[in-house]
Amino acid sequence: MIAILGNQYSTALKRKDFLYLTGMGMGAAMLQGFPVMGSPVPHDTVLQPVDAAIKKRMADVALNAAKSKGATYADVRIGRYLNQSVSTRENRVQNIASAESYGMGVRVLANGCWGFAATDKLDTDSIAKTAVQAVAIAKENSRLLNEPVQLAPQKGYGEVSWKTPIEKNAFEIPVKDKVDLLLAANNVALKAGATYISNNLFMVNEQKYFASTEGSYIDQDIHRLWPTFTLTKTDAKTGGFETRNSLSAPVGMGFEYLIPDEKEKIQGIFPIYKKRYDMLEDVRIGTAQLDEKLKAKPVEPGKYDLILDPTNLFLTIHESVGHPTELDRVLGYEANFAGTSFLTLDKWESKKFKFGSKLVNIVGDKTQPGSLGAVGYDDEGVKCGNWDIIKDGVLVNYQATRDQAHILGLPASQGCCYAQTWSDVQFQRMPNVNLQPGKAPLKVAEMIKNTEKGLYMFGRNSYSIDQQRYNFQFSSQLCYEIRNGQITGMVKGATYQANTQEFWNSCSAICDESDFRMGGSFFDGKGQPSQVSAVSHGCSTTKFDKVNVINTLRKLG
Amino acid sequence: MAILTEEQARALLTKALSYSKAEQCEVNLSGGDSSNIRYARNSVSTSGGISRNSLVVSSAFGKKLGTATINEFDDASLEKAVRRSEELAQLAPENPEFMPFLGPQNYGAPTPTFVQSTADITPKQRADMVQQSLQVAKDSKLTAAGFLESSAGFSAIMNSKGLFAYNTATDINFSVTMRTADGKGSGYATKAFNDVGKMDTLAFSKVAARKASGSVNTKALEPGKYTVILEPAAGIVLLEQLYGGLDARSADEGRSFLSKAGGKTRWGEKLVDERVNIYSDPANPELPTSRWNGDGRVQEKISWIEKGVVKNLFYSRYWAQKKGVKATPGPDGIIMEGGTQSLEDLVKGTEKGILVTRLWYIRPVDPQTLLYTGLTRDGTFYIENGQIKFPVKNFRFNESPVIMLNNLEALGKTERTVSGESGQNALIPPMKIRDFTFSSLSDAV
């Protein structure tokens, strides 16, 4: 599930921590909302990753200590996690914060049971002690074990490395340039008539090193970036208000994402963005759309053909396809928290479970450049790739880690293991889960022309789905009504409610490759204690026939 | 690192402040140890021990503020963190909303947030507690998934104006979901305490087991408006949206459910049924919380909703100054007053209704009416003539806690519960509510 904090930021941060932190200013609180707490990074300093040879020596200390205490397998993750955030509202900067966290997590198998311990003291003694503690925990808990963990075979890669293909390291861009961009955007909004704007930029750099008793020493440098704003316009006469969030995406890119490029825009009923984002333009258009939202008529509840822009559909894919195909949920490992899944193993074994219409092809992907899920190797040292999950509408696969692969009869893990920091144990997390574009040429304009009674939605808004992923409800930032092939204007209160399988079987058209875009989340939460991960979902604009739409407008006393 | 004593914390903070060259400097220090066991499919899955500390330095020059965080406490690291926060402050533009740090405060007597026996829990004790839960599952032919976590920690704050505060706290939290082998029944229980002595994983697991066995063979009721009895673990996830939303600034700015036409707010107005009383009290023995908040403000007993009227809103220090009012901080431990009836009594007094164990995936739909959506989960039952008749299929709801508390029928006995959404604890009564809006059915178990 995607957890929530404040208006639009979602994190796994517990509310009690949040209340404590609000006293320190929202910026600091937001930074704490990142999965990292640590020491500061000077604002303009680029931290070069620690020399791999030093990390290899530290890793070997832990691996040897674990083996000497009887571990049959061990892996070590040495991570330096850098975060920076710039938080603004209207004409002022609320906070600029930077943090660094450096430490090591050791995971072992002993008596067939997992054990884990983590430390931020990286001298030889502390490292060895941590490895010994992980083995002790595994042995203590093995009395509560039913069957020993089985790991899929994994060859050691020796000493290898991988780096996110960025053009401009966001940590190298002066803070002033970031502040100037956000305040310029805020100025555009206020001049255009917005009552309020909050505008934030988040940057992440994971410098992580993985080593295992199987002979891998993997050094990776991962970058992520997320610009996001919320515009608000109040109506003093009625006491009402409307908001409009940015239509940007969190990306696995550097600062280049924030340099507008006309070639990366799609000119639809208003411009929308592919691999480059134009914040000033989005703010200007978004503010004008607030007036339309305030004047919009309430939606008439009923069945509509939905045309969903990727800025809206990505989250529906995440919740209704991404989560139910997580193998740990299918097996029951998340039963006490995130939930289980309706996509039980018997449906997969039947090889004919019709998840969606024939048009629906969904892949698990860990390689797409610019996506949040792209890495060279996962957090248990498996080289990443991609695979079919739904093929021509039929469920054909799940998302698995090394200790789950045998359940599916897979020869190797699919590389879906991730931990939010060095201090958290790695477990099964979602890869990018993408809906493949339509094979035949199809543009949005044609899709609209072919729609008699429809709604055309942009942007993520309210989202909720049950713990087995059958029943969901989503709304949007912008909803346009379509009558007889024409857009007739904006409506409000429109929320679509559906059953996952019925919804995907009602998929009747998918735009072609030229419309393909990625949305995503920085803060997908799962596990106890809860951890966040970042994941993208790519798709083209897609049409779903006769979906139930309700009107959620109410009145208070 | 072990918990620092008050004197150790004071010494460390004094040293950190001694490096400061800023006009004002404030340092927050927190840390502790937490250990957990996670289990699923009637077997342990992952577990771990984590020791983490954090020191946050805030330095200010005029209205320019910089913040830096560090997790190493040797002299060089402390000085490095102070210097870096100063560097960031010098780079930051002036923030007109910056408030000077507070001077010394009178916090009153400490509250009983720390229990030594909880801090002393051993790995064996935790494994034994989980084993009891697993035994219930095996005896009842059910499949258990659960989580047990214990923690002990401290927090302290000191600034260059002479403010100092210190607190320690312990926590033990447990939750378990029991499912039938055929996946047709599911039951849940969750509890959290400061004192491990109150944590009975055996008894709580039996509650979850009873609900799981009793919730197979559900019948589907038509969606619509129903009288519901929300158990405390179900009610808290909607109530926390209400009491967490009593922020003065967003109300004043016209972007809250408390905003009214003409720039006015609902502060001082009757918002909900007059039997609703919601307050916070750091000294409550069942839910003790800290005497101070993150910016050093005093946490006192304060009434938020009294006889249905919005009695107080919470403020940032900046907004309070601008409005010329007291800067009341947001609450920690919330208490909603209840009645004398047990949950069973409430069921007995219900002609037709639905008993709800848990609500899940709560998300805002319309901030103007505080409308939220979500689903029932892990034990939903139909009540007729004062008796639980049969389990029912889960529903999606679309409802506002404001509307819900206007449709109040009865309140039961208040008890400590945990929000499955936020992890926050509160003292909440079971609530009987009429006309609760279920908008569709879910096949989920």
Side-chain angles (χ1 to χ4, degrees):
Chain A
M1 69 164 192
I2 296 189
I4 192 159
L5 172 67
N7 285 331
Q8 56 165 320
Y9 308 105
S10 29
T11 79
L13 185 68
K14 282 189 178 177
R15 184 174 167 79
K16 58 182 168 189
D17 300 328
F18 175 68
L19 288 172
Y20 172 73
L21 289 162
T22 43
M24 292 196 256
M26 200 54 193
M30 285 316 305
L31 192 76
Q32 305 277 5
F34 275 127
V36 164
M37 292 169 81
S39 56
V41 181
H43 68 287
D44 283 340
T45 307
V46 183
L47 277 164
Q48 293 305 322
V50 175
D51 182 6
I54 296 171
K55 290 189 279 198
K56 182 170 189 296
R57 272 202 300 278
M58 293 195 290
D60 281 334
V61 170
L63 296 177
N64 291 332
K67 277 193 289 192
S68 74
K69 289 290 171 185
T72 53
Y73 168 85
D75 60 39
V76 176
R77 290 175 300 108
I78 301 169
R80 176 145 74 177
Y81 294 77
L82 309 182
N83 292 324
Q84 190 182 75
S85 72
V86 181
S87 319
T88 70
R89 65 171 285 174
E90 289 92 55
N91 59 359
R92 49 202 180 271
V93 174
Q94 291 187 292
N95 207 294
I96 302 167
S98 291
E100 169 194 344
S101 175
Y102 186 40
M104 171 193 279
V106 184
R107 183 177 70 153
V108 304
L109 273 181
N111 293 354
C113 187
W114 285 123
F116 177 79
T119 182
D120 52 11
K121 306 277 175 289
L122 297 180
D123 58 281
T124 302
D125 268 7
S126 300
I127 290 171
K129 262 188 214 156
T130 303
V132 171
Q133 189 196 349
V135 175
I137 288 172
K139 287 183 173 170
E140 175 69 42
N141 288 342
S142 66
R143 67 181 161 107
L144 305 175
L145 193 68
N146 284 347
E147 51 184 279
V149 171
Q150 289 180 49
L151 285 185
Q154 180 58 52
K155 67 166 186 161
Y157 294 108
E159 293 183 53
V160 291
S161 67
W162 191 88
K163 187 176 177 11
T164 305
I166 54 171
E167 290 174 22
K168 284 178 188 290
N169 185 342
F171 287 81
E172 288 180 38
I173 303 291
V175 168
K176 185 176 182 310
D177 293 8
K178 298 167 191 167
V179 167
D180 287 351
L181 173 64
L182 298 192
L183 290 182
N186 296 3
N187 192 37
V188 167
L190 296 172
K191 275 202 172 143
T195 322
Y196 306 105
I197 177 171
S198 63
N199 196 349
N200 302 279
L201 181 62
F202 301 106
M203 290 144 278
V204 175
N205 176 207
E206 296 181 353
Q207 300 170 0
K208 54 189 187 185
Y209 188 80
F210 172 90
S212 78
T213 48
E214 286 164 346
S216 281
Y217 296 91
I218 302 168
D219 202 18
Q220 297 195 92
D221 187 23
I222 317 289
H223 290 260
R224 297 197 283 271
L225 176 99
W226 185 26
T228 181
F229 62 75
T230 298
L231 294 158
T232 304
K233 188 156 186 173
T234 60
D235 182 344
K237 264 187 254 159
T238 63
F241 60 94
E242 288 290 342
T243 62
R244 200 279 220 176
N245 292 353
S246 61
L247 296 178
S248 61
V251 289
M253 294 173 70
F255 204 73
E256 65 272 13
Y257 180 64
L258 289 167
I259 299 167
D261 181 346
E262 293 303 315
K263 291 195 293 296
E264 293 294 340
K265 290 182 186 176
I266 295 176
Q267 301 294 342
I269 55 174
F270 57 89
I272 33 183
Y273 311 103
K274 297 177 84 168
K275 289 173 184 160
R276 295 288 185 275
Y277 177 56
D278 188 338
M279 186 190 290
L280 298 181
E281 181 182 70
D282 194 24
V283 160
R284 181 170 53 75
I285 292 168
T287 307
Q289 288 168 339
L290 278 173
D291 288 324
E292 286 182 76
K293 284 187 85 168
L294 282 165
K295 282 183 282 191
K297 60 170 192 180
V299 71
E300 187 68 37
K303 303 266 186 197
Y304 289 85
D305 291 351
L306 296 184
I307 296 180
L308 301 181
D309 185 77
T311 52
N312 178 269
L313 182 58
F314 90 87
L315 187 54
T316 308
I317 294 171
H318 175 86
E319 302 289 11
S320 71
V321 191
H323 280 306
T325 54
E326 291 172 314
L327 190 55
D328 61 346
R329 293 183 63 121
V330 172
L331 297 172
Y333 287 103
E334 283 288 330
N336 187 45
F337 182 58
T340 55
S341 172
F342 77 100
L343 293 175
T344 45
L345 290 176
D346 55 303
K347 290 179 175 136
W348 165 71
E349 280 158 356
S350 78
K351 295 187 170 58
K352 54 186 182 198
F353 179 76
K354 268 192 70 72
F355 179 88
S357 74
K358 272 202 161 15
L359 298 175
V360 177
N361 285 288
I362 287 170
V363 297
D365 164 77
K366 295 282 291 176
T367 61
Q368 182 122 18
S371 72
L372 297 168
V375 289
Y377 306 83
D378 78 351
D379 280 352
E380 55 181 359
V382 176
K383 195 168 189 164
C384 290
N386 42 60
W387 63 99
D388 291 327
I389 293 176
I390 309 290
K391 179 84 182 146
D392 300 326
V394 176
L395 172 69
V396 296
N397 215 330
Y398 296 98
Q399 316 155 27
T401 53
R402 285 190 68 193
D403 57 1
Q404 299 169 333
H406 69 96
I407 295 164
L408 300 178
L410 296 173
S413 163
Q414 290 159 327
C416 295
C417 205
Y418 176 79
Q420 68 176 5
T421 71
W422 56 266
S423 64
D424 300 275
V425 67
Q426 62 268 56
F427 69 126
Q428 194 263 303
R429 298 312 300 257
M430 201 188 293
N432 301 318
V433 171
N434 301 333
L435 173 65
Q436 301 289 67
K439 285 164 194 142
L442 177 64
K443 300 278 184 264
V444 178
E446 205 181 327
M447 203 178 248
I448 294 170
K449 213 171 70 192
N450 296 335
T451 301
E452 207 177 308
K453 182 195 175 193
L455 295 173
Y456 184 14
M457 295 186 177
F458 295 84
R460 60 176 280 188
N461 198 345
S462 184
Y463 58 101
S464 175
I465 187 163
D466 68 53
Q467 77 278 11
Q468 289 188 315
R469 307 275 145 174
Y470 285 106
N471 172 309
F472 62 65
Q473 177 176 307
F474 292 94
S475 66
S476 62
Q477 291 294 325
L478 302 166
C479 179
Y480 296 90
E481 189 171 30
I482 299 168
R483 290 282 167 165
N484 303 320
Q486 302 271 328
I487 291 176
T488 55
M490 225 186 256
V491 291
K492 61 178 162 190
T495 300
Y496 59 98
Q497 225 181 47
N499 166 286
T500 297
Q501 194 185 359
E502 285 171 18
F503 177 81
W504 285 102
N505 274 282
S506 77
C507 174
S508 62
I510 304 177
C511 285
D512 60 45
E513 178 93 53
S514 66
D515 191 52
F516 188 85
R517 282 163 281 149
M518 281 184 290
S521 168
F522 250 38
F523 298 116
D524 180 31
K526 197 167 92 172
Q528 289 180 297
S530 187
Q531 295 186 39
V532 296
S533 77
V535 59
S536 293
H537 302 287
C539 57
S540 299
T541 305
T542 302
K543 186 172 172 182
F544 299 88
D545 290 345
K546 297 192 172 49
V547 180
N548 188 39
V549 171
I550 61 170
N551 178 350
T552 56
L553 300 174
R554 299 276 188 98
K555 275 209 162 67
L556 288 185
Chain B
M1 189 165 81
I3 291 178
L4 294 190
T5 64
E6 181 164 348
E7 285 324 301
Q8 287 169 325
R10 191 190 292 273
L12 184 64
L13 290 169
T14 304
K15 190 191 280 173
L17 278 182
S18 74
Y19 296 116
S20 172
K21 294 175 184 168
E23 286 168 25
Q24 299 181 62
C25 185
E26 184 164 276
V27 190
N28 287 69
L29 173 66
S30 61
D33 302 319
S34 90
S35 295
N36 66 76
I37 300 184
R38 195 173 192 216
Y39 56 106
R41 293 158 65 91
N42 283 351
S43 181
V44 65
S45 52
T46 57
S47 55
I50 300 155
S51 179
R52 252 196 300 204
N53 302 281
S54 167
L55 184 132
V56 184
V57 185
S58 302
S59 293
F61 297 91
K63 286 180 174 292
K64 292 156 49 146
L65 176 71
T67 306
T69 307
I70 197 160
N71 62 352
E72 292 164 273
F73 301 151
D74 58 277
D75 292 4
S77 299
L78 289 177
E79 182 167 10
K80 190 170 66 181
V82 172
R83 288 290 92 79
R84 283 175 176 175
S85 69
E86 290 169 354
E87 210 180 301
L88 284 170
Q90 296 287 21
L91 273 157
E94 284 211 342
N95 181 358
E97 298 191 5
F98 174 78
M99 291 291 291
F101 299 137
L102 284 172
Q105 305 286 307
N106 183 11
Y107 297 110
T111 51
T113 48
F114 184 87
V115 178
Q116 191 62 47
S117 55
T118 308
D120 293 341
I121 296 176
T122 63
K124 183 182 179 304
Q125 256 177 295
R126 271 189 301 273
D128 288 345
M129 290 169 90
V130 168
Q131 194 156 35
Q132 286 187 316
S133 178
L134 287 170
Q135 198 56 48
V136 172
K138 286 168 190 165
D139 293 348
S140 319
K141 298 195 166 52
L142 296 167
T143 308
F147 182 66
L148 178 76
E149 180 179 48
S150 61
S151 62
F154 74 100
S155 52
I157 180 174
M158 182 183 277
N159 70 29
S160 53
K161 295 212 167 155
L163 179 142
F164 176 76
Y166 171 85
N167 192 48
T168 54
T170 52
D171 176 72
I172 176 145
N173 67 80
F174 171 70
S175 58
V176 63
T177 302
M178 299 268 185
R179 295 175 66 80
T180 56
D182 60 6
K184 289 182 178 166
S186 183
Y188 175 72
T190 180
K191 286 284 172 186
F193 302 101
N194 295 62
D195 182 356
V196 63
K198 296 181 179 172
M199 183 56 82
D200 189 344
T201 54
L202 181 68
F204 301 137
S205 297
K206 284 180 177 168
V207 171
R210 228 173 15 247
K211 288 198 165 165
S213 304
S215 64
V216 288
N217 300 322
T218 57
K219 293 187 187 172
L221 297 184
E222 282 296 312
K225 290 187 185 287
Y226 285 89
T227 293
V228 294
I229 296 174
L230 301 178
E231 291 195 23
I236 186 173
V237 297
L238 281 173
L239 292 173
E240 69 187 356
Q241 309 303 341
L242 174 61
Y243 55 71
L246 298 175
D247 172 50
R249 184 171 188 172
S250 56
D252 290 333
E253 287 183 340
R255 42 174 166 171
S256 149
F257 68 101
L258 296 168
S259 303
K260 284 184 17 177
K264 298 198 170 67
T265 76
R266 292 173 187 269
W267 177 68
E269 282 187 9
K270 186 166 170 295
L271 185 70
V272 292
D273 188 281
E274 63 197 13
R275 286 167 291 174
V276 175
N277 291 290
I278 296 175
Y279 66 101
S280 54
D281 179 8
N284 184 291
E286 292 303 315
L287 182 60
T289 52
S290 176
R291 284 282 190 195
W292 50 278
N293 84 332
D295 60 10
R297 280 185 274 174
V298 180
Q299 287 285 16
E300 316 170 274
K301 181 171 179 176
I302 184 155
S303 174
W304 300 100
I305 294 182
E306 198 169 299
K307 295 184 176 164
V309 174
V310 181
K311 196 76 182 166
N312 279 292
L313 300 178
F314 52 81
Y315 286 80
S316 66
R317 291 182 53 228
Y318 164 73
W319 199 250
Q321 179 187 261
K322 190 177 157 85
K323 292 284 165 181
V325 299
K326 185 178 171 186
T328 306
D332 276 341
I334 278 284
I335 299 142
M336 178 169 171
E337 280 180 6
T340 54
Q341 294 189 85
S342 67
L343 183 66
E344 291 69 28
D345 295 337
L346 288 179
V347 171
K348 266 184 208 151
T350 301
E351 200 185 323
K352 279 181 182 172
I354 292 170
L355 176 66
V356 180
T357 299
R358 182 182 187 189
L359 295 175
W360 173 248
Y361 222 121
I362 313 304
R363 291 294 181 272
V365 175
D366 185 356
Q368 306 188 67
T369 55
L370 210 64
L371 189 75
Y372 276 76
T373 192
L375 299 109
T376 63
R377 176 176 174 180
D378 301 325
T380 312
F381 302 93
Y382 182 66
I383 304 164
E384 203 172 74
N385 299 324
Q387 285 187 324
I388 290 176
K389 288 290 181 189
F390 49 82
V392 295
K393 270 183 91 159
N394 284 310
F395 288 106
R396 171 175 297 287
F397 69 87
N398 280 286
E399 192 55 275
S400 162
V402 177
I403 295 170
M404 171 179 104
L405 290 180
N406 274 290
N407 293 339
L408 183 67
E409 291 273 300
L411 295 170
K413 248 183 262 171
T414 289
E415 64 177 77
R416 181 164 170 173
T417 190
V418 185
S419 164
E421 298 280 321
S422 68
Q424 184 87 337
N425 288 205
L427 301 180
I428 302 287
M431 296 179 286
K432 185 168 153 186
I433 309 285
R434 65 178 174 275
D435 291 335
F436 192 87
T437 312
F438 290 124
S439 56
S440 57
L441 283 170
S442 160
D443 291 323
V445 175

